[in-house]
Amino acid sequence: MILTFASQQQYQEMVGQPSDQPAWTQEDWAALGTFMQAFNQELLDSGELVETRGLSAPVHTRRVQLREGVPVATDGPYAEAEEVLAGYWVVECDGFDRATEIAARLTSCPGPERIRARAYADVRPIDEHQPDFEG
């Protein structure tokens, strides 16, 4: 699984909402869309793409956790989380190194330089089995 991350502020910049940084231009947004469409199509054409999704802004998040024995839901965004999961790709490929190669192509994703300089993707294998606790 390839995971990408963003902050609420970055989501706001992308759509021109008030933020500490300048809003993305129409050209920035169009370039991102073009890149993602081509990236996803290449993975689809190679047969490696299982699923991909972009996630809604953190402000639309609801967190559920146990408090005093009762599940409690609270709305986002969360000040304690500078970055949250922004999207993911599930790929089926020849191994961890190939998944890392695919993720490395995301470094070519266009956008404002201040965003690109801090952007990263994590590559994490999906466990297909339960761990062996017997030793």
Side-chain angles (χ1 to χ4, degrees):
M1 179 177 268
I2 300 167
L3 309 162
T4 57
F5 301 85
S7 67
Q8 177 63 38
Q9 178 175 320
Q10 290 168 336
Y11 274 92
Q12 288 173 214
E13 292 168 19
M14 288 175 71
V15 297
Q17 293 178 348
S19 170
D20 294 344
Q21 298 292 327
W24 282 41
T25 66
Q26 289 287 6
E27 293 80 17
D28 291 334
W29 196 217
L32 173 67
T34 298
F35 175 88
M36 286 300 177
Q37 186 174 26
F39 180 76
N40 292 338
Q41 189 62 52
E42 288 173 21
L43 290 173
L44 192 61
D45 292 346
S46 72
E48 295 172 304
L49 182 62
V50 174
E51 179 181 356
T52 184
R53 300 287 175 154
L55 302 178
S56 184
V59 71
H60 301 294
T61 301
R62 187 167 288 155
R63 178 171 288 167
V64 179
Q65 63 189 113
L66 194 61
R67 289 194 183 149
E68 298 179 13
V70 177
V72 175
T74 55
D75 291 335
Y78 302 102
E80 69 272 13
E82 181 179 318
E83 294 180 331
V84 297
L85 185 63
Y88 66 91
W89 290 262
V90 176
V91 295
E92 190 169 306
C93 55
D94 287 334
F96 195 62
D97 288 340
R98 174 62 183 145
T100 303
E101 288 173 11
I102 293 168
R105 291 174 36 210
L106 290 169
T107 62
S108 298
C109 186
E113 189 54 38
R114 69 183 181 282
I115 303 294
R116 294 185 73 227
R118 296 185 63 221
Y120 63 93
D122 287 345
V123 180
R124 293 184 63 184
I126 297 174
D127 282 337
E128 299 291 339
H129 58 84
Q130 293 290 339
D132 180 10
F133 292 114
E134 295 182 17

